[in-house]
Amino acid sequence: MDKDHYILGIETSCDETAASIVKNGTEIISSIVSSQIQQQKQFGGVVPEIASRLHVEQITLVIQEALNEAKLVPSDLEAVTVTEGPGLVGALLIGINAAKAFAFANQLPLIGVHHIAGHVYANQLIHEMEFPLLALIVSGGHTELVVMKSHGSFELIGETRDDAAGEAYDKVARVLGLPYPGGPQVDRLAQASDESIDFPRAWLEKDSYDFSFSGLKSSVINYKHNIEQKGGKINHDHVAAGFQQSVVDVLTVKTVKAAKEYDVKQVIAAGGVAANRGLRKSLTTALENEGIPFYVPPISLCTDNAAMIAAAGYEMWKSGVRSDSSMNGRPGMPLKSWN
Amino acid sequence: MIWLGIDTANSPLSVAIVKDDVLLIEESSMMKINHSLRAMPAVEEACRKADITPSEIDAIAVSEGPGSYTGVRIGVTIAKTLAWTLDKPLYGVSSLKALALNGQLFNGFICSMIDARRSNVYAGVYRAKGTELVNVLEDQHCALAGLLKELKEYNEAILFVGEDVKLHESIIREHLGEQAHFASYALNVPRASSAILLAQSAEQAETVHTFTPQYKRITEAEANLVKKESSHE
Ligand SMILES: [Zn+2]
């Protein structure tokens, strides 16, 4: 390689204001994440208007910190990459307009990145991608199975028809009276439990790689009501364990099935729920049994961050993809291939 | 000295470049186009037409609100990012004061107004004193009826400025009769050059990193939280 290429990534699609500098698409030089969890907690979830307000407060600070920590100046950069969608539109617009202004001021190319492409490319920061690969993206907003035959080529083979896996986690956490964000709490209770309630699994049609979690959420609620109507009290650990087993089971079985059908060289997991210990364990064991390499980034790269945006953005930059300054925030942006 | 001015606080968009007290270029548009699509391209276009590179900009003025939450955030985000990365001073000015400047030759009060739905408005009331605008009533989010009652007591001629005024023209006339005057459409467009003009007489530049819009209103979620907490007490 002749010259090192530094890419700035910016991510503000939900409640994290993040900026990062990545070298040659694979090496994190700096990754700053300013989370709003503390402020949003009191509302029991992410309030979009508050998210937007906090992003404006943080955005230049976070980019400055990313540059400082990398000991770089804007002229060292090759391109500015930013999450274009999907996400909360008001939140997306802060990162996008900061990226546009920064790109214009420093005469750098601007590239809009799909948030899910970012999650997938988080893996490029820990291990080289080998194609074809299968990516399972699981977060509060997403549950998707994506096949990649080469860089920048995405084939969506399955997605959720209702709630995202992370959303189901948060809702069940609320039923159990656990504080926001509930996903990690449910995971913790499930890990500690030696018994579990048997909840249904939504397999959908035989050949479908789609998911559905709203039925599961309802059966947890019904189970609670039934017990309480009889004057009893539910065991939170057992409910958490049962719920988690149902989610993990479906995710694991469908992932393994897809990995075999598409004959992939590796499976990668990404997104906030990929931090879930129950899911990691289950996927690791199941794929090990099939002899398929499985990679999942460390938790800091599973949850929303800007390094993943810069990593995906680097590949787009190499392929000549450019956005212009009329870029808009796209809350429902579909995942499209650039190659 | 080259100034860039940006006003996206409401649905109109205005971008201006002033060089040595000459307005080189100004684009003001009332078209309902998403600011994210148009704001940054308008800044780039203005610079290109005025033959100015970004690093030649010496200072930035931005309309800081109140107004549309998303609109004002887009202008403020662009302005603070430019100011920070170009290392140039940033000035936030009231969107209502900038709008009121359109009525600076009026002999009486100037009330700039932005609709805030459910019979509420953002409004500021000013009086021109030479080339300066002096606040008669602070910029505020308020019920229109209450504001009009208060204005009536002043017994002054009042010029209402702003595109949203016509939404409330009949109720304003009802309350104020002959006291009320209405700006023509040519004077209802906020102008980024007005933001620059106001910034030039500001005493101090903003701290760029911590600069945020003046929403003049807490969010609904915060208001609900306050309500909930006070009902617990
Ligand atoms: Zn995400």
Side-chain angles (χ1 to χ4, degrees):
Chain A
M1 188 157 284
D2 34 7
K3 177 185 175 262
D4 288 329
H5 300 296
Y6 296 97
I7 304 285
L8 170 67
I10 298 173
E11 147 71 35
T12 63
S13 68
C14 190
D15 60 344
E16 249 97 44
T17 320
S20 162
I21 290 166
V22 167
K23 184 167 123 184
N24 302 326
T26 55
E27 191 185 328
I28 299 176
I29 306 300
S30 65
S31 178
I32 311 297
V33 180
S34 162
S35 171
Q36 305 176 354
I37 284 189
Q38 283 316 316
Q39 290 98 320
Q40 300 276 9
K41 222 157 109 178
Q42 55 185 326
F43 305 107
V46 178
V47 179
E49 174 59 24
I50 289 172
S52 304
R53 290 187 178 194
L54 293 171
H55 284 310
V56 181
E57 285 177 25
Q58 291 298 319
I59 188 70
T60 55
L61 271 170
V62 164
I63 304 173
Q64 164 109 69
E65 241 177 279
L67 284 164
N68 287 355
E69 209 170 273
K71 298 193 176 65
L72 293 175
V73 293
S75 59
D76 296 322
L77 302 172
E78 223 65 61
V80 182
T81 65
V82 62
T83 307
E84 184 176 0
L88 302 170
V89 66
L92 288 165
L93 287 176
I94 306 308
I96 289 172
N97 281 284
K100 287 182 189 180
F102 186 88
F104 169 65
N106 299 294
Q107 302 289 291
L108 291 166
L110 173 74
I111 299 164
V113 178
H114 193 282
H115 185 78
I116 294 304
H119 274 305
V120 174
Y121 271 90
N123 282 277
Q124 182 88 327
L125 297 164
I126 53 155
H127 191 275
E128 201 186 329
M129 288 165 133
E130 279 176 80
F131 304 104
L133 67 75
L134 176 72
L136 170 70
I137 299 110
V138 267
S139 74
H142 298 278
T143 310
E144 274 139 16
L145 274 170
V146 176
V147 172
M148 290 181 72
K149 296 213 165 92
S150 64
H151 276 302
S153 125
F154 304 95
E155 187 191 338
L156 186 69
I157 61 165
E159 63 189 322
T160 181
R161 293 184 185 167
D162 39 59
D163 294 351
E167 207 178 340
Y169 265 94
D170 283 341
K171 286 177 178 169
V172 165
R174 221 168 295 157
V175 172
L176 297 180
L178 300 168
Y180 174 86
Q185 310 272 358
V186 173
D187 188 21
R188 189 174 47 80
L189 296 190
Q191 295 297 324
S193 179
D194 44 7
E195 250 180 80
S196 64
I197 312 293
D198 195 26
F199 289 118
R201 281 123 175 90
W203 297 111
L204 305 176
E205 303 83 52
K206 201 172 147 284
D207 299 321
S208 175
Y209 289 118
D210 281 351
F211 302 95
S212 165
F213 295 108
S214 70
L216 171 60
K217 176 197 66 194
S218 306
S219 36
V220 172
I221 294 171
N222 289 342
Y223 172 79
K224 186 182 179 218
H225 283 176
N226 276 340
I227 299 272
E228 285 177 350
Q229 233 159 36
K230 290 178 204 147
K233 260 181 112 184
I234 55 164
N235 181 310
H236 284 187
D237 294 11
H238 297 175
V239 171
F243 164 78
Q244 172 138 316
Q245 241 166 50
S246 168
V247 174
V248 165
D249 237 25
V250 175
L251 289 174
T252 305
V253 167
K254 294 208 177 205
T255 302
V256 171
K257 186 168 171 243
K260 280 163 50 185
E261 186 187 326
Y262 287 85
D263 199 15
V264 298
K265 291 219 173 72
Q266 57 180 218
V267 172
I268 62 188
V273 181
N276 182 289
R277 280 170 298 173
L279 179 61
R280 280 179 185 236
K281 232 188 276 169
S282 162
L283 283 171
T284 306
T285 318
L287 289 160
E288 215 168 62
N289 287 343
E290 298 294 337
I292 305 168
F294 172 60
Y295 302 99
V296 52
I299 289 170
S300 62
L301 287 173
C302 278
T303 50
D304 288 352
N305 64 86
M308 68 185 202
I309 300 302
Y314 169 79
E315 286 299 330
M316 297 174 81
W317 171 77
K318 255 192 3 191
S319 303
V321 181
R322 302 290 181 268
S323 304
D324 65 42
S325 62
S326 66
M327 186 201 300
N328 200 355
R330 297 171 66 192
M333 185 179 184
L335 179 62
K336 280 230 301 253
S337 303
W338 65 76
N339 263 345
Chain B
M1 176 92 178
I2 296 175
W3 283 79
L4 170 68
I6 302 168
D7 189 335
T8 63
N10 286 285
S11 59
L13 164 76
S14 186
V15 170
I17 292 173
V18 168
K19 184 179 182 182
D20 302 330
D21 290 342
V22 176
L23 176 55
L24 289 186
I25 190 165
E26 181 164 50
E27 184 199 320
S28 293
S29 145
M30 299 288 284
M31 288 184 293
K32 298 238 179 301
I33 301 174
N34 187 319
H35 285 318
S36 190
L37 295 177
R38 273 300 296 150
M40 204 50 219
V43 170
E44 296 187 16
E45 238 169 74
C47 288
R48 198 176 60 243
K49 286 180 180 164
D51 200 17
I52 281 164
T53 60
S55 55
E56 286 176 300
I57 297 167
D58 295 302
I60 295 165
V62 67
S63 170
E64 65 185 10
S68 133
Y69 293 166
T70 302
V72 74
R73 272 197 288 269
I74 288 174
V76 165
T77 300
I78 290 173
K80 76 186 272 190
T81 306
L82 287 176
W84 158 66
T85 191
L86 294 169
D87 197 17
K88 297 294 158 62
L90 171 70
Y91 297 86
V93 307
S94 154
S95 57
L96 289 165
K97 195 171 185 183
L99 188 57
L101 212 54
N102 286 354
Q104 61 184 309
L105 298 179
F106 184 75
N107 190 11
F109 287 180
I110 307 151
C111 176
S112 48
M113 188 176 278
I114 296 157
D115 184 54
R117 282 178 286 204
R118 287 178 236 155
S119 299
N120 291 318
V121 292
Y122 297 105
V125 182
Y126 300 86
R127 177 197 280 289
K129 212 172 164 192
T131 55
E132 295 255 300
L133 283 187
V134 184
N135 251 126
V136 176
L137 290 178
E138 288 287 323
D139 291 359
Q140 55 186 300
H141 173 261
C142 58
L144 177 60
L147 173 72
L148 294 176
K149 228 178 258 167
E150 199 171 346
L151 284 174
K152 180 141 188 84
E153 311 207 327
Y154 282 98
N155 227 347
E156 282 264 358
I158 304 160
L159 176 69
F160 287 87
V161 186
E163 192 57 24
D164 293 346
V165 169
K166 63 167 159 280
L167 299 171
H168 306 295
E169 192 173 326
S170 58
I171 181 170
I172 294 172
R173 283 190 194 281
E174 211 174 281
H175 276 81
L176 297 174
E178 297 287 290
Q179 242 180 297
H181 298 261
F182 296 90
S184 69
Y185 66 81
L187 293 178
N188 280 335
V189 194
R191 302 182 58 179
S193 57
S194 298
I196 294 174
L197 199 60
L198 293 174
Q200 286 174 336
S201 56
E203 276 160 26
Q204 214 181 349
E206 313 286 347
T207 310
V208 175
H209 282 312
T210 54
F211 180 64
T212 47
Q214 292 295 319
Y215 300 104
K216 297 284 174 201
R217 251 186 115 180
I218 60 168
T219 62
E220 230 173 278
E222 287 165 307
N224 289 340
L225 204 65
V226 171
K227 237 188 272 166
K228 219 167 89 189
E229 273 163 9
S230 60
S231 73
H232 276 300
E233 275 160 20

